[in-house]
Amino acid sequence: ANAGLVLCVADDPGMHSSQNEQDSRHYAKAAKVAMLEPSDSAECRDFTKMAFELSERFDTPVIVRLSTRVSHSQSLVEAHEPDTVALKPYEKNVAKNVMMPAMARGAHVKVEKRTEALRRWAETASINTVEYNDKRIGIICAGTTYTYAKEALGERASFLKLGMVNPLPVSLIVEFARNVGQVYVIEELEPFMEDQIKAAGIDCVG
């Protein structure tokens, strides 16, 4: 398809409604594709629209990761008129779509460049937000864990809320860590962000 490709997944930490407790963030990292993680109903709509825009801009699949608490929640969403998008013609492109070894070698280079371009975009993207309150504690989180942390700590901590969880905006994370005291990384399931943040030389508590 000569258009955006968006995959949606709902992980189920705690296995509340399924037997699947996978952490889909690992799939995004392994496949080297972008992953967005909304924290409420409005962000679900906004991030899905953004995912299609990113998919077409960077010529990549994009994964939108939900979790049980977001998928089973309701919150206010501001209505918008749908965008009108012209249909795109089918274009046969064997070099791009058929991964024989000779073509895959060139595609590998393209994927690495695309990943770096996505990382640069994430460094200043509006979906990655910083909230400075009490700077003695700095919390890095994404999706529903932001809602949990904000409810529990309010103004007693500063927050780096990541809307894009792959690739991570490392420079933004480093800058946030410099401006706060103890850094905590709050995430459901595996230490996906924690391990990468520690690998960047940042002392943090998972």
Side-chain angles (χ1 to χ4, degrees), residues 3-155:
L5 175 61
V6 174
L7 311 174
C8 295
V9 62
D11 290 352
D12 189 19
M15 292 183 281
H16 297 284
S17 60
S18 74
Q19 66 271 46
N20 297 310
E21 199 184 28
Q22 72 283 345
D23 192 331
S24 295
R25 296 175 299 174
H26 292 289
Y27 297 120
K29 186 179 180 185
K32 298 190 176 182
V33 298
M35 176 175 271
L36 308 183
E37 188 167 352
S39 64
D40 58 27
S41 301
E43 286 189 354
C44 286
R45 193 274 312 277
D46 295 341
F47 283 22
T48 300
K49 181 179 178 181
M50 180 177 289
F52 277 103
E53 294 170 353
L54 289 173
S55 179
E56 296 195 0
R57 175 178 172 183
F58 292 97
D59 193 18
T60 178
V62 176
I63 302 174
V64 176
R65 181 198 188 221
L66 308 179
S67 63
T68 304
R69 294 304 182 196
V70 175
S71 299
H72 289 232
S73 67
Q74 294 180 342
S75 57
L76 294 175
V77 178
E78 184 180 348
H80 294 289
E81 290 296 319
D83 293 338
T84 301
V85 180
L87 292 176
K88 297 184 179 182
Y90 170 73
E91 295 178 3
K92 187 173 182 177
N93 188 340
V94 175
K96 175 184 175 183
N97 298 321
V98 181
M99 285 296 99
M100 299 296 288
M103 300 165 189
R105 283 191 286 271
H108 187 190
V109 175
K110 179 182 175 184
V111 166
E112 294 297 338
K113 290 181 178 179
R114 182 183 74 194
T115 301
E116 187 54 38
L118 282 164
R119 191 185 310 280
R120 288 196 301 271
W121 178 87
E123 297 292 355
T124 58
S126 61
I127 60 174
N128 297 323
T129 59
V130 176
E131 301 173 25
Y132 284 119
N133 302 305
D134 189 331
K135 291 187 177 182
R136 289 176 294 178
I137 296 176
I139 295 176
I140 302 173
C141 49
T144 190
T145 56
Y146 166 75
T147 309
Y148 292 154
K150 188 72 174 177
E151 182 179 2
L153 294 170
E155 304 299 312

